[in-house]
Amino acid sequence: MSIQSTTPQPLDPTTLPDHDNVPGNAYAYCVRLTQPLFMQTGRMIAYYPAPGGQGIRFEPLMATSLTGMVAERFSSPLYSRDWVVANGSAHVILGDRGFDINSYDLDQGNLTVRAANLLAFDASLELKESIIPGFLTLIGTGKFLASSSGPVIFVEPPIRVDPEALVGWADCPAPSLHFDAGWMGHFLGAARGALLGTRSGEERQYDFTGAGTVLLQSSERMMEDPQVLRRLEGEVDGLGTGQLQRLQQVIQSRLMQQQQ
Amino acid sequence: MNWRLQGSKVLVVDLNGDAVRAASGSMVAYEGDIAFKSAGTGGGGGLRAALMQRVAGESLNLMECRGRGTLHLAVSAMDVVLVELAGEELRAESEQLLALSEGLRTEVVFAGLQGATSGQGLFTTKVTGHGPLALLSAGGPPIALRVTPQAPLVVDPQAFIASRGRLSQTFVTDVSWRNLAGEGSGEAFSLRFEGDGVVYVQPEERG
């Protein structure tokens, strides 16, 4: 009986990196925690508490001992329930549903990233909600971790991208929505709304202009973003009875489509 | 018997009249003359064990593959980890077990009682004996983490694959971890390992 294999070499706090991907693994990342770190919930897979330390405390943003710092750095009520501040000393290993994980360094910069892809960021950075729904902007100097479905591709504007392939953008103005001219022609020519159900999925694009960098992922696999639902629920408040009934019809027809 | 990986996601076993127990439905191809039959739930130990499995949801559906030839095993494009046991004990999530050699015994063990929501980690499958076994890792290659008396380890139960060696496993239900697990998903407790051994985790959390 024999085994020919490369069983993974066991790692420990002395061999784990201080701030890098776990050796040979693009899908896991190790951070040596020494100062407060903002982390999205549900992204940590394991940690080694530092010897002699108190381990890590994970404090919800609503009830943290660092209220002043959090209020200053985390400027997004919408996302505050999905984030914690990790405090203590430890080696922390993060994973995100098998997505590639990369670290990014910001130096007096600003970068906007899809909220569901942002895993963690230094407390030296400032977080704000982007004007584009579902995206968060980081400003200042420090490191953050973000995931992508497949490796990240860096491109420069001017460029039009598929919304689902967009991971984020840096230094350039926020994108505008662009609709394919041919599709627009059809849309304007047809009875209003008749074409809304016949989208190919490619006629709607984000249009980037100016100087900067756009980050794309190589696959369009989407992650379900719980914020989309929360944001929609918030907007339902402003609707009248007729509009609510209309919304119910739309949801019912979508549900029927999905059940088929 | 020869065990090897083809790429990182397919386990290849050469059989010479001997047998291997593999997760039901994991055979993707074989050459030669191999017979497959259900090996039951693989827990061993009669009625009490069967009852525990029913309670725990920790059921291990295995098939016995016996004969001469080459067997190819894989599940859902998950990465495969090969481990050779030399008398020590391995505890694994049953759904992460791909294959066991004949010399290994499996048993469902009660691992502790805490406010578990999904049952994961509450019962585990204990593997003892001598020989190779293969585990599955979702979301990418597995990460092997060494535990020593100086370096205890805390693990998310949903990323846990297996532990091996002289380890004591405790459930930690601190409020702090509950915060991290997030709303509606995740476990309210973490697994803490102390002692001497290796813990395997995967980069994806089981849903």
Side-chain angles (χ1 to χ4, degrees):
Chain A
M1 206 178 282
S2 69
I3 285 195
Q4 300 166 13
S5 83
T6 46
T7 307
Q9 206 55 39
L11 298 159
D12 61 38
T14 59
T15 49
L16 278 169
D18 281 354
H19 209 297
D20 203 349
N21 283 93
V22 171
N25 204 321
Y27 316 99
Y29 200 94
C30 183
V31 177
R32 187 172 163 207
L33 193 68
T34 50
Q35 50 199 9
L37 180 76
F38 285 96
M39 283 172 61
Q40 182 153 187
T41 56
R43 301 295 195 273
M44 190 177 72
I45 53 180
Y47 71 88
Y48 280 108
Q54 298 288 313
I56 315 184
R57 291 217 315 283
F58 303 100
E59 301 182 329
L61 302 188
M62 310 289 190
T64 161
S65 53
L66 306 161
T67 315
M69 186 278 283
V70 169
E72 227 170 71
R73 297 294 172 195
F74 198 98
S75 174
S76 165
L78 184 63
Y79 287 91
S80 58
R81 278 153 69 183
D82 300 316
W83 285 76
V84 294
V85 188
N87 218 339
S89 57
H91 276 89
V92 178
I93 299 169
L94 299 118
D96 187 11
R97 289 160 283 178
F99 282 64
D100 287 52
I101 301 177
N102 285 301
S103 168
Y104 299 81
D105 273 290
L106 276 187
D107 184 13
Q108 296 291 321
N110 81 80
L111 190 144
T112 304
V113 65
R114 189 182 290 278
N117 289 49
L118 184 62
L119 270 61
F121 62 95
D122 284 350
S124 60
L125 289 167
E126 218 177 307
L127 178 102
K128 295 178 191 299
E129 276 174 45
S130 168
I131 288 288
I132 307 286
F135 284 83
L136 293 167
T137 302
L138 291 158
I139 302 166
T141 302
K143 287 180 197 291
F144 68 91
L145 299 179
S147 64
S148 56
S149 180
V152 170
I153 303 149
F154 297 88
V155 290
E156 281 180 21
I159 187 169
R160 289 185 185 141
V161 305
D162 186 301
E164 293 180 1
L166 182 64
V167 174
W169 63 91
D171 302 329
C172 49
S176 48
L177 263 180
H178 173 85
F179 288 91
D180 182 71
W183 184 87
M184 271 308 287
H186 279 292
F187 177 78
L188 295 171
R192 183 178 141 65
L195 261 166
L196 279 176
T198 59
R199 292 182 164 185
S200 71
E202 301 293 349
E203 71 287 336
R204 184 173 163 272
Q205 302 145 5
Y206 283 153
D207 195 351
F208 284 93
T209 54
T213 310
V214 179
L215 285 66
L216 303 175
Q217 58 190 2
S218 47
S219 153
E220 295 182 8
R221 179 153 72 109
M222 288 288 281
M223 289 185 277
E224 218 171 57
D225 184 355
Q227 309 311 326
V228 172
L229 181 63
R230 215 170 283 168
R231 200 168 51 238
L232 286 175
E233 281 173 1
E235 290 183 13
V236 166
D237 286 345
L239 299 179
T241 312
Q243 289 172 311
L244 282 171
Q245 279 164 351
R246 169 82 192 123
L247 188 63
Q248 194 175 21
Q249 282 170 15
V250 171
I251 291 170
Q252 262 166 4
S253 69
R254 281 295 300 166
L255 275 175
M256 275 163 70
Q257 274 179 24
Q258 288 197 355
Q259 279 161 8
Q260 276 167 13
Chain B
M1 205 188 285
N2 179 304
W3 293 48
R4 60 187 183 275
L5 294 185
Q6 188 174 311
S8 64
K9 298 172 191 214
V10 179
L11 171 70
V12 182
V13 180
D14 292 322
L15 292 175
N16 295 307
D18 43 7
V20 57
R21 284 189 294 159
S24 295
S26 63
M27 188 273 287
V28 288
Y30 75 97
E31 300 151 33
D33 182 17
I34 299 176
F36 301 87
K37 72 167 195 206
S38 170
T41 50
L47 189 65
R48 188 170 151 272
L51 187 70
M52 281 175 86
Q53 284 168 356
R54 189 69 56 84
V55 172
E58 180 84 7
S59 66
L60 180 56
N61 277 314
L62 295 173
M63 58 181 180
E64 189 188 78
C65 321
R66 183 180 291 277
R68 284 174 195 282
T70 304
L71 184 61
H72 296 250
L73 303 168
V75 174
S76 305
M78 287 199 262
D79 280 71
V80 178
V81 202
L82 275 179
V83 178
E84 173 108 45
L85 279 191
E88 71 264 54
E89 176 182 312
L90 181 134
R91 284 174 182 228
E93 283 297 325
S94 63
E95 60 193 275
Q96 313 273 132
L97 271 172
L98 175 62
L100 298 150
S101 61
E102 269 185 311
L104 297 174
R105 264 175 50 81
T106 55
E107 185 186 340
V108 173
V109 292
F110 184 60
L113 185 63
Q114 281 291 350
T117 51
S118 70
Q120 258 163 20
L122 199 59
F123 288 79
T124 51
T125 300
K126 186 169 91 173
V127 185
T128 47
H130 293 259
L133 74 134
L135 299 160
L136 294 163
S137 169
I143 306 150
L145 297 169
R146 184 174 298 289
V147 177
T148 63
Q150 293 76 40
L153 177 70
V154 182
V155 172
D156 180 340
Q158 293 181 305
F160 173 74
I161 300 173
S163 67
R164 164 192 195 183
R166 297 165 63 84
L167 291 170
S168 77
Q169 173 188 322
T170 48
F171 292 86
V172 187
T173 41
D174 56 283
V175 179
S176 170
W177 179 272
R178 206 177 291 250
N179 296 331
L180 186 73
E183 292 172 10
S185 71
E187 297 290 343
F189 61 88
S190 56
L191 295 171
R192 187 184 167 94
F193 292 94
E194 278 163 288
D196 233 320
V198 175
V199 175
Y200 298 93
V201 293
Q202 62 184 19
E204 181 174 335
E205 305 190 324
R206 282 184 293 274

